[in-house]
Amino acid sequence: TLQFQAIMDISWPTTSPKRVMACGLVALPLLLHSTNDLDRRYTRNLNETFLDAADPDLQGWLPGANGIFYSARLDFFYNTFYKNPQADWRYNLGFEPALMPDADLKVYRHLQSYPWAFKAYQPWIDKMGPADRLAIASPSQPDLPQLQWHSAAGTFWIGRLPDEKPH
C-alpha cells in the first residue's frame, strides 16, 4: 500500500477524481468478497438444532429431574444447555471432555473416531436410569433396539429406556 500511495502521490493530485476511482476499484472487490457467503460462512448456523424443554413434542423425552443427558456431541451440549440453562438435568459431556469420568471419556473418544458405531454407546446405555436420555445425531433412527426413540430436532434422536412412562 505504501508503494501504491507513493505512485498515486506522484501521478495524481490529492483532489483528483482518479484517486477516488482507484480506491473504489480496490474497495469494491473487498466489499464483495467480505459480504459473500462463501462456503456458508455466515449461514452455516441457521440450521443448528436447539432442544427446548417447553416444546410439547418433547414432553417425556427430555431427562427427568437429576437425570443425565448422554451425548457424544459438543454442539448438542452447547445448544441444549444454552436453550435450557435452568433445566434440572445434567450432561455427561460438558464444557470440556477432559472433565468426564475416565470410563465416559473412553466411550466419547471412541465415538469421535467412529461416530456411526451405535454399539459403542452400549456402556452409557448400561448406566442409564429411568430419568436419563441418550441423544444421537443420525439421519435415521439408531439401531439400538433396547431404547425407545423419538426424532427430536434436526437429525438428533433421543432414546430412553422402554419402561419409562412419559411425565
Side-chain angles (χ1 to χ4, degrees):
T1 58
L2 295 175
Q3 292 171 343
F4 287 117
Q5 179 65 36
I7 293 170
M8 288 176 66
D9 286 342
I10 295 169
S11 303
W12 301 318
T14 308
T15 58
S16 172
K18 291 180 182 179
R19 275 189 176 218
V20 174
M21 277 185 28
C23 288
L25 288 175
V26 171
L28 184 63
L30 178 62
L31 173 75
L32 293 175
H33 176 71
S34 63
T35 59
N36 184 353
D37 193 19
L38 184 65
D39 292 329
R40 294 182 37 115
R41 66 178 163 185
Y42 299 126
T43 58
R44 180 176 297 123
N45 295 339
L46 290 178
N47 298 331
E48 273 194 77
T49 303
F50 294 89
L51 295 183
D52 187 355
D55 184 352
D57 189 44
L58 295 176
Q59 297 307 310
W61 288 100
L62 297 176
N66 296 316
I68 298 174
F69 228 144
Y70 290 94
S71 178
R73 298 280 303 264
L74 276 171
D75 61 333
F76 176 82
F77 163 74
Y78 284 116
N79 291 349
T80 306
F81 178 78
Y82 288 115
K83 187 69 174 176
N84 307 283
Q86 303 299 323
D88 58 355
W89 63 72
R90 298 171 291 149
Y91 300 86
N92 74 318
L93 173 63
F95 292 103
E96 173 53 50
L99 299 174
M100 298 173 77
D102 289 337
D104 288 340
L105 183 59
K106 185 178 178 183
V107 173
Y108 174 73
R109 295 293 184 216
H110 183 74
L111 287 165
Q112 282 183 306
S113 299
Y114 306 100
W116 304 112
F118 296 132
K119 299 297 181 200
Y121 287 96
Q122 194 60 48
W124 289 346
I125 294 171
D126 293 341
K127 290 176 19 176
M128 285 176 64
D132 301 335
R133 300 294 184 265
L134 173 64
I136 298 178
S138 174
S140 60
Q141 180 175 317
D143 185 22
L144 294 167
Q146 61 269 46
L147 296 178
Q148 292 177 331
W149 292 99
H150 177 72
S151 177
T155 60
F156 280 100
W157 289 81
I158 298 176
R160 68 180 180 200
L161 296 175
D163 57 345
E164 173 68 14
K165 304 287 188 263
H167 51 287

